[in-house]
Amino acid sequence: AQTVTQSQPEMSVQEAETVTLSCTYDTSESDYYLFWYKQPPSRQMILVIRQEAYKQQNATENRFSVNFQKAAKSFSLKISDSQLGDAAMYFCAYGGGATNKLIFGTGTLLAVQP
Amino acid sequence: GAGVSQSPRYKVAKRGQDVALRCDPISGHVSLFWYQQALGQGPEFLTYFQNEAQLDKSGLPSDRFFAERPEGSVSTLKIQRTQQEDSAVYLCASSLNQGPSQPQHFGDGTRLSIL
């Protein structure tokens, strides 16, 4: 079975600085997708970035980028030039194979200090 | 355009009561998912529909949980004889097509509190 682990329950960053959130996963599948979702207090899960496992190039979306290490089964999220609006719970998620469901980690609560 | 809509936003029920939670997916989205999110945890999969067919219900915790999507659009998650451990946020998500490559779009969830 696939698992997703986020080992940082909480992180803090100064406004305009860079922060990296960690995620590791376990799977025996070769074709899968990895996602980072943001969940503010309003509860709506917002897709931040996604990575196809077959692509070696790391995905980027404006200030958000990932470091995807397939052999190590690691998928970290880097947020550059942090803004107050980035404060939220961040979830790493796995989707792949015959299943359509997403498997989520336990989340990292990110605080942004002004 | 309109996103995934869930109602009610909050639901309080007494233990033993039945509840029904509604999800309106994005128009035209084939796939619909229900997740349960306990306090301080990540969402956990409950069930999946492709159009009106329930293809995966492996995450439903007991036979008290029942979901339907009779016309392939709106979905209802029903919980019978609610218990305190059912207290959680229930999230609905939809995606345009089948497959893990399709991004899932989430609603705001229904926070269910069982007294």
Side-chain angles (χ1 to χ4, degrees), chain A residues 92-109:
Chain A
C92 178
Y94 172 100
T99 65
N100 292 278
K101 64 186 179 186
L102 292 176
I103 299 169
F104 288 87
T106 51
T108 297
L109 181 61

Side-chain angles (χ1 to χ4, degrees), chain A residues 61-72:
Chain A
E61 288 286 345
N62 300 313
R63 297 183 294 108
F64 300 87
S65 62
V66 299
N67 183 4
F68 174 48
Q69 301 291 326
K70 190 171 183 178

Side-chain angles (χ1 to χ4, degrees), chain B:
Chain B
V4 177
S5 177
Q6 291 188 247
S7 61
R9 187 159 172 81
Y10 301 91
K11 177 68 178 178
V12 179
K14 292 183 179 179
R15 188 177 57 176
Q17 290 183 328
D18 298 348
V19 298
L21 312 180
R22 177 188 171 102
C23 174
D24 277 277
I26 294 173
S27 178
H29 276 199
V30 168
S31 298
L32 185 145
F33 305 81
W34 284 98
Y35 294 87
Q36 180 190 60
Q37 186 175 20
L39 187 64
Q41 300 296 315
E44 292 191 356
F45 170 79
L46 292 176
T47 188
Y48 160 67
F49 289 86
Q50 184 179 334
N51 294 308
E52 69 278 4
Q54 189 174 20
L55 299 185
D56 187 349
K57 53 182 181 179
S58 62
L60 296 177
S62 76
D63 58 7
R64 296 185 297 102
F65 286 71
F66 172 77
E68 61 182 4
R69 194 187 185 196
E71 298 180 358
S73 179
V74 172
S75 177
T76 303
L77 176 67
K78 298 178 180 178
I79 309 173
Q80 298 177 323
R81 305 181 304 282
T82 53
Q83 300 177 6
Q84 285 192 323
E85 60 261 33
D86 300 334
S87 296
V89 173
Y90 291 84
L91 296 170
C92 177
S94 70
S95 63
L96 183 59
N97 290 309
Q98 179 185 1
S101 65
Q102 297 293 317
Q104 294 185 21
H105 303 266
F106 285 80
D108 289 344
T110 293
R111 182 179 296 280
L112 176 63
S113 299
I114 305 301
L115 304 178

